């Protein structure tokens, strides 16, 4: 078990299939991945398992474990041994990657919407989860991944709201602080157990929103006709896809259907850039937000499994 030597071993690493394989070369060049965070388990020259971690460029430690695979073919690792084999690879790599006492990064995995019922995919996903549970991880949340495709109608403005650019960082951070009241987002609720709403909003603004290379002029504040803000949407490009990065309605204005107007505006902003798709995500349990995306023509194309260490 060892890390790859560099981009010259990507052909070896990508012998096992996964949707992220096509992004690895670019991620290594961009500094989102490092060879020393990209591990393989070999028997002679046969790839039996692999694991890789992702970060934002410049991060000292990885942010996510987002690739974990075991060869589950006929001549691969026997089914009963796969969880322990994967766990041993992750345990070995983490001992080399992380400083002692550091909590392991969150695990994230993209899976088909029907992964539980699929006789091939289901056992493979469960084997990975079992491996990480043996290392102390637990399921944190399952998320819907959604996609808007060109040609899908965008609802026309109803005239109830006005949209304008964000005045400054303080305005947006203040709104982000307010919308955390009553949030259904699992990550947001978890953050509120460890920090104030203001601290969580500042952290998300600094660590995520400011890192998008797309123009801040795309961001929109939704207001009532008298100018009172009631929500916002952050259309962006995350380096992989155009995305609805953040959308929210202030607590006092929820339940009135404003989210549909706000999402339509964010979709219009990105669609005007002639994009091939728009991606979005929300927790499986956030039913109101999921329904809003579906009403706007976004389709469920994938799920995302998140596991964390406490």
């Amino acid at each position: 078990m060892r890390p790859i030597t560099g981009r010259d071993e990507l052909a070896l690493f990508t012998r096992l299939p996964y949707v992220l394989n096509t992004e690895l070369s670019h991620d290594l060049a961009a500094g989102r991945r490092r060879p020393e965070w990209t591990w393989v388990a070999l028997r002679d020259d046969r790839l039996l398992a692999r694991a890789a971690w992702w970060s934002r460029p410049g991060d000292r430690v990885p942010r996510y474990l987002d690739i974990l695979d075991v060869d589950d073919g006929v001549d691969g690792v026997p089914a009963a041994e796969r969880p322990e084999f994967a766990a041993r690879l992750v345990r070995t790599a983490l001992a080399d990657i992380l400083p002692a006492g550091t909590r392991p990064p969150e695990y994230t995995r993209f899976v088909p919407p029907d992964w539980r019922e699929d006789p091939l995919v289901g056992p493979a996903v469960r084997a990975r989860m079992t491996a990480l549970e043996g290392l102390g991880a637990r399921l944190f949340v399952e998320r819907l991944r959604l996609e808007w495709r060109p040609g899908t109608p965008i609802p026309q403005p109803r005239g109830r709201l006005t949209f304008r650019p964000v005045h400054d960082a303080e305005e947006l951070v203040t709104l982000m602080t307010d919308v955390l009241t009553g949030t259904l987002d699992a990550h947001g609720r978890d953050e509120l157990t460890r920090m104030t709403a203001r601290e969580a909003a500042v952290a998300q603004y600094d660590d995520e929103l400011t890192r998008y290379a797309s123009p801040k002029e795309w961001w929109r504040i939704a207001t009532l006709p008298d100018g009172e803000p009631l929500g916002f949407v952050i259309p962006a490009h995350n380096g992989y896809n155009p995305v609805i990065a953040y959308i929210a309605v202030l607590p006092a204005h929820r339940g009135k259907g404003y989210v549909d107007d706000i999402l339509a505006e964010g979709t219009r902003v990105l669609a005007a850039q002639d994009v091939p798709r728009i991606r979005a995500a929300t927790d499986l349990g956030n039913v109101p937000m999921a329904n809003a995306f579906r009403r706007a023509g976004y389709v469920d194309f994938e799920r995302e499994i998140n596991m964390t260490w406490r």
Side-chain angles (χ1 to χ4, degrees):
M1 295 182 176
R2 63 168 177 83
I4 64 171
T5 57
R7 296 177 69 182
D8 57 301
E9 285 199 313
L10 278 182
L12 166 67
F13 188 80
T14 55
R15 287 178 187 173
L16 297 179
Y18 185 44
V19 65
L20 296 184
N21 279 359
T22 58
E23 299 175 357
L24 296 176
S25 180
H26 184 261
D27 280 352
L28 282 169
R32 291 189 285 258
R33 298 187 188 274
R34 303 180 191 176
E36 61 267 29
W37 295 349
T38 308
W39 280 64
V40 292
L42 303 173
R43 180 178 295 148
D44 298 323
D45 64 345
R46 172 130 188 209
L47 179 65
L48 295 182
R50 64 178 188 166
W53 285 260
W54 181 96
S55 74
R56 296 192 177 108
D59 284 352
R60 184 178 59 87
V61 295
R63 187 172 292 259
Y64 297 109
L65 166 62
D66 65 343
I67 296 177
L68 177 60
D69 291 302
V70 178
D71 183 350
D72 54 7
V74 174
D75 298 323
V77 180
E81 300 175 17
R82 288 167 196 162
E84 175 53 34
F85 198 88
R88 183 149 45 97
L89 175 59
V90 172
R91 186 188 304 115
T92 302
L94 286 177
D96 188 77
I97 292 171
L98 296 180
T102 304
R103 185 171 73 170
E106 181 174 312
Y107 170 67
T108 178
R109 179 79 182 187
F110 299 142
V111 297
D114 62 346
W115 70 271
R116 286 179 173 81
E117 294 77 33
D118 190 301
L120 296 177
V121 175
V125 173
R126 293 186 185 96
R128 295 178 181 89
M129 296 176 70
T130 299
L132 297 177
E133 286 169 353
L135 298 176
R138 295 294 180 267
L139 177 64
F140 180 71
V141 70
E142 183 172 338
R143 289 172 61 78
L144 290 170
R145 283 169 52 79
L146 304 114
E147 183 175 270
W148 178 91
R149 295 159 185 168
T152 303
I154 302 173
Q156 292 300 309
R158 292 186 283 181
R160 300 196 302 167
L161 303 179
T162 299
F163 294 94
R164 61 167 173 79
V166 176
H167 287 327
D168 52 32
E170 177 58 30
E171 178 186 39
L172 185 56
V173 166
T174 298
L175 293 175
M176 291 168 65
T177 301
D178 292 344
V179 301
L180 284 171
T181 298
T183 181
L184 297 178
D185 180 82
H187 287 89
R189 294 171 69 172
D190 179 65
E191 288 167 352
L192 292 177
T193 68
R194 295 179 280 107
M195 63 186 77
T196 68
R198 171 78 184 188
E199 289 168 340
V202 169
Q204 184 170 10
Y205 184 88
D206 291 342
D207 294 343
E208 179 184 348
L209 302 189
T210 62
R211 292 176 180 260
Y212 294 131
S214 48
K216 289 184 175 63
E217 287 76 18
W218 291 356
W219 302 0
R220 295 288 188 268
I221 302 295
T223 73
L224 293 170
D226 63 3
E228 177 190 353
L230 60 79
F232 59 87
V233 61
I234 308 296
H237 197 292
N238 65 4
Y240 301 97
N241 291 286
V243 295
I244 300 295
Y246 199 159
I247 181 170
V249 178
L250 294 177
H253 298 282
R254 290 172 183 162
K256 303 173 184 177
Y258 290 132
V259 67
D260 293 339
D261 303 78
I262 299 172
L263 179 54
E265 176 68 11
T267 304
R268 274 192 293 273
V269 169
L270 290 174
Q273 313 306 315
D274 195 27
V275 297
R277 71 190 70 84
I278 301 171
R279 294 272 171 90
T282 191
D283 292 357
L284 187 61
N286 191 344
V287 175
M289 193 67 249
N291 287 340
F293 278 114
R294 292 178 181 124
R295 287 193 299 271
Y298 286 71
V299 296
D300 306 357
F301 76 97
E302 212 166 45
R303 298 283 177 84
E304 180 182 359
I305 300 294
N306 291 167
M307 298 180 71
T308 58
W309 278 258
R310 295 296 183 184

